[in-house]
Amino acid sequence: MIQETGGSVPPNTDHAVSVSLPTWKDNVAYEEGELWLVNKMQCGYPRFFVHPIIQELAQEVISRYGNPEVDAATLFPSPNTARVCLAFLSSKIPSEDFQKVRVLDFVPTQQLETELPTVTSILSCVIYPKDHASVAKQVWQHSGDGISSRRGEFCLSALRDGLIVEKKSAAADATSQKFYKGPRRYQGRGSTNGIGKGTSATQPQDGRESVQFIEERFGRNLSTSLASQAKIAVRRRIAGVLTEDVELSEALEKTSEQGRIAGLDESDVSLFPTGMSSIFNSHRILLKGRGDLKSICFGFPYIDTLKILEKWGPGCLFYGRGSSEDLDDLESRLVSGERFLALFTEFPGNPLLKAPDLKRIRSLADKYDFAVVVDETVGNFLNINVLSHADIVVSSLTKIFSGDSNVMGGSAVLNPHGPYYRLLKDTFAREYEDNVWVEDAVFLERNSRNFISRIEQINHTTEEITAMLKESPLVKNVYYPKYSPSLPLYEAFRTPNGGYGGLFSVTFHSTAEAVAFFDNLEVLKGPSLGTNFTLSCPYTLLAHYGELEWANSFGVEFDLVRISVGLEDIPVLRGLVEQALDAVAKVHKA
């Protein structure tokens, strides 16, 4: 399947999660910020590329409340999430510039609020000097708490129609003091209420009736009243109570004999707007519950997990290889009296698909008093069951749980038998807020109804394709749990009917051969994984372009190609891989 450079992945999808970068050259140009490539991009991975509709909403806010010449805005779903950005800016930019930073909170009009009973907050905007946009972008990327494109689309229309309004200054300042303990919001120059000059959204407009607006926006077949039911269904599905491919109305009534582990139910599952948000907020809540202690990042992680642990809180101890020797070093530190907040790890890791020694980690955690947070996104909870050895299991629901690559989501599951369960349960009750937008929840529920059958098919196909690549002398390495030296560690947590997942990585004997394989592999190309269609990317290039030597020091090669297998028939996908290997053979002979 060919998609033009910069087009949405999947094609013709307004809220696509990925973007087409079909050649090696395209990926380098993206990382270099070359305009010929950037100007073609219709979308991108949402935490790295701000969706055009969100950009338009930010411009609308600036035109009304700021100065387009000097100001920029980053948009969040709630006052809490906006104040995280505010606090980060206060620690990173000069104080004289921070005095120009302000937060605007928007709320639905009373009539619109009646039509959106499940929405607790609608929009919060951090406005700051545009010279510091890269600092605010770090919060957007790492925290995963920026607004979704569907929320942005709704808010843009609602703002223009006068159906969402700015919270009064006194109320906004009171909210700021409640959630943010730093300096009070400063008034901008030429402003009497902390807002720059511009047209006020609270001025009466010829807006449509909110009932009409809601019906036009959502339609009769996508009622926002389903959002709360959809979230319950998703939480139950994750807990293991719901497993059948049934309609929502039936699914809410169906249960199985037990969940993933005894005593687990949907009350132990929290939903987040992105997978990274589930990691960021689990870390934040652990800091709230246990105090300011360093964390441990064990194994080569998805890059933003490490950045979260480094940039928020007192820092982290990083073990990039995730080896037994690393655990020996950790144990010696623990014996000597070092204390830690939590150990964060992936099962298996991305992109090398290596499993950590979770049993030994749990033993050390119990003995030396630290929590264990496991990201199971790549393994997914139908293939593996790691909850018994974790305190929190996080996952990106954007990936195989959804599959359609048109909605973001994340989850955090508490182990009801974990040593920190009561502390975490109480702290989540105080600190958690539901920022999953209503439309996103409905799409996530609908997409995930058949996730069991999809995962089973993808498991089988991936085993066939990786076996084929393992046999080729043109291939240097295939990274897949089934072929990893850490296979016994993976098998210890594989479910009775589970497989090895749909993600693998492959390397070749030269960069030229890797480029030939990637450029000639006729599948969709772009960031993300766990899609219903096969998706490939030069992973190290995309994730670690500015730190390639650092990544290589942990065995993650520069020219590694990562492939996420989809639902294509095996003969079709085998043919596409053979065609790409033929291109490698030509380079090899040259």
Side-chain angles (χ1 to χ4, degrees):
M1 181 182 295
I2 303 299
Q3 165 71 320
E4 63 178 344
T5 299
S8 65
V9 173
N12 305 313
T13 302
D14 290 339
H15 301 282
V17 165
S18 190
V19 61
S20 179
L21 298 171
T23 70
W24 199 277
K25 178 183 176 182
D26 293 334
N27 284 270
V28 173
Y30 169 75
E31 290 297 330
E32 293 285 350
E34 295 186 21
L35 291 180
W36 69 266
L37 184 286
V38 173
N39 290 338
K40 291 182 179 181
M41 292 181 66
Q42 300 170 19
C43 63
Y45 194 75
R47 288 189 304 100
F48 293 87
F49 180 91
V50 180
H51 193 282
I53 198 74
I54 298 175
Q55 295 182 41
E56 188 176 353
L57 175 57
Q59 292 166 3
E60 183 77 17
V61 170
I62 291 296
S63 69
R64 292 167 178 256
Y65 299 100
N67 182 344
E69 297 297 320
V70 299
D71 290 332
T74 300
L75 311 183
F76 296 91
S78 72
N80 280 358
T81 50
R83 269 62 184 183
V84 169
C85 183
L86 187 68
F88 192 77
L89 284 165
S90 74
S91 68
K92 299 294 183 182
I93 70 175
S95 58
E96 60 270 22
D97 287 348
F98 184 68
Q99 292 183 23
K100 302 171 186 176
V101 179
R102 55 199 184 276
V103 177
L104 306 181
D105 296 319
F106 292 87
V107 295
T109 60
Q110 186 173 3
Q111 189 177 14
L112 183 59
E113 189 174 11
T114 302
E115 301 299 323
L116 290 172
T118 63
V119 176
T120 55
S121 58
I122 195 81
L123 181 67
S124 290
C125 308
V126 183
I127 299 177
Y128 49 84
K130 63 172 56 177
D131 289 344
H132 300 299
S134 62
V135 178
K137 182 69 181 297
Q138 292 178 54
V139 182
W140 176 278
Q141 175 181 329
H142 300 324
S143 75
D145 275 338
I147 66 168
S148 74
S149 55
R150 287 188 180 88
R151 183 190 289 258
E153 188 174 40
F154 179 89
C155 288
L156 179 60
S157 295
L159 178 62
R160 286 172 173 169
D161 283 353
L163 294 172
I164 63 173
V165 296
E166 190 214 347
K167 215 170 184 179
K168 298 298 183 182
S169 297
D173 283 345
T175 302
S176 178
Q177 289 305 297
K178 179 178 179 182
F179 295 115
Y180 173 61
K181 302 304 182 183
R184 289 180 63 85
R185 187 178 63 165
Y186 289 91
Q187 295 184 353
R189 184 174 299 176
S191 166
T192 59
N193 62 354
I195 304 171
K197 295 178 180 179
T199 304
S200 171
T202 60
Q203 292 175 350
Q205 297 185 27
D206 296 326
R208 287 172 281 162
E209 289 293 323
S210 62
V211 176
Q212 178 190 356
F213 175 80
I214 290 289
E215 184 170 308
E216 290 178 1
R217 178 66 190 88
F218 294 104
R220 294 182 182 273
N221 296 323
L222 191 58
S223 170
T224 59
S225 65
L226 287 178
S228 59
Q229 290 180 297
K231 291 177 183 180
I232 292 171
V234 169
R235 287 163 56 214
R236 288 182 180 177
R237 202 163 283 159
I238 292 167
V241 176
L242 293 183
T243 59
E244 300 297 327
D245 301 342
V246 293
E247 293 299 314
L248 176 59
S249 58
E250 298 175 33
L252 290 171
E253 300 173 359
K254 273 190 164 295
T255 60
S256 61
E257 293 182 0
Q258 61 181 9
R260 292 166 62 191
I261 65 173
L264 177 70
D265 63 35
E266 69 265 24
S267 70
D268 297 316
V269 181
S270 299
L271 300 182
F272 295 89
T274 65
M276 197 50 58
S277 174
S278 69
I279 296 172
F280 178 84
N281 284 288
S282 292
H283 180 239
R284 180 182 63 82
I285 287 171
L286 277 164
L287 287 170
K288 289 280 188 180
R290 300 203 64 222
D292 286 342
L293 294 168
K294 280 188 176 182
S295 288
I296 304 154
C297 186
F298 190 79
F300 193 83
Y302 182 68
I303 186 61
D304 290 300
T305 300
L306 180 58
K307 299 303 183 185
I308 286 169
L309 302 181
E310 289 176 338
K311 295 181 181 182
W312 280 270
C316 80
L317 177 63
F318 176 47
Y319 290 111
R321 293 191 178 276
S323 63
S324 58
E325 291 79 11
D326 286 340
L327 285 178
D328 291 341
D329 182 79
L330 174 59
E331 186 168 12
S332 68
R333 289 171 179 267
L334 294 166
V335 169
S336 68
E338 289 190 49
R339 297 185 63 233
F340 296 95
L341 176 75
L343 182 147
F344 288 73
T345 191
E346 298 174 4
F347 198 104
N350 176 13
L352 300 183
L353 288 302
K354 180 180 178 182
D357 189 346
L358 198 52
K359 290 186 176 181
R360 186 177 175 192
I361 289 170
R362 181 73 263 172
S363 177
L364 291 173
D366 290 341
K367 186 173 181 179
Y368 295 103
D369 189 30
F370 60 86
V372 178
V373 182
V374 181
D375 183 347
E376 68 173 5
T377 299
V378 172
N380 82 68
F381 53 77
L382 285 182
N383 288 325
I384 57 171
N385 188 350
V386 296
L387 187 59
S388 61
H389 283 60
D391 294 286
I392 307 175
V393 169
V394 296
S395 188
S396 172
L397 305 181
T398 309
K399 309 305 192 297
I400 192 61
F401 186 79
S402 167
D404 280 343
S405 193
N406 64 1
V407 64
M408 300 282 280
S411 64
V413 183
L414 302 183
N415 179 359
H417 307 296
Y420 297 106
Y421 178 67
R422 182 42 53 194
L423 173 67
L424 288 170
K425 193 81 167 178
D426 292 343
T427 312
F428 263 81
R430 293 193 307 270
E431 298 292 331
Y432 170 77
E433 63 178 7
D434 180 0
N435 287 320
V436 179
W437 178 240
V438 289
E439 285 179 283
D440 293 327
V442 172
F443 274 92
L444 190 60
E445 189 281 322
R446 287 183 174 183
N447 291 354
S448 63
R449 290 178 187 176
N450 64 348
F451 79 107
I452 293 175
S453 59
R454 288 188 286 108
I455 288 170
E456 289 173 346
Q457 180 179 339
I458 287 170
N459 283 343
H460 177 62
T461 301
T462 310
E463 285 197 56
E464 292 284 330
I465 297 302
T466 53
M468 168 189 169
L469 288 166
K470 282 284 289 182
E471 294 173 358
S472 173
L474 297 169
V475 173
K476 180 180 175 183
N477 281 308
V478 175
Y479 297 96
Y480 188 56
K482 187 175 181 179
Y483 304 117
S484 172
S486 67
L487 176 61
L489 302 177
Y490 184 94
E491 292 287 2
F493 293 92
R494 187 160 66 95
T495 59
N497 297 315
Y500 301 99
L503 190 73
F504 70 91
S505 299
V506 60
T507 57
F508 297 87
H509 298 288
S510 72
T511 298
E513 291 171 15
V515 172
F517 179 83
F518 180 77
D519 285 356
N520 288 278
L521 182 63
E522 293 187 359
V523 300
L524 287 169
K525 316 275 187 66
S528 198
L529 59 94
T531 46
N532 290 338
F533 45 86
T534 296
L535 184 67
S536 182
C537 70
Y539 178 80
T540 318
L541 193 69
L542 276 180
H544 302 285
Y545 190 73
E547 51 191 17
L548 294 174
E549 289 187 12
W550 172 83
N552 187 66
S553 71
F554 296 105
V556 181
E557 298 180 41
F558 155 72
D559 48 12
L560 173 147
V561 176
R562 193 186 70 181
I563 299 173
S564 175
V565 173
L567 297 174
E568 297 89 349
D569 290 337
I570 291 175
V572 172
L573 192 53
R574 180 186 289 273
L576 295 175
V577 172
E578 288 175 344
Q579 177 180 297
L581 287 174
D582 288 344
V584 174
K586 292 178 182 178
V587 172
H588 185 75
K589 291 177 181 178

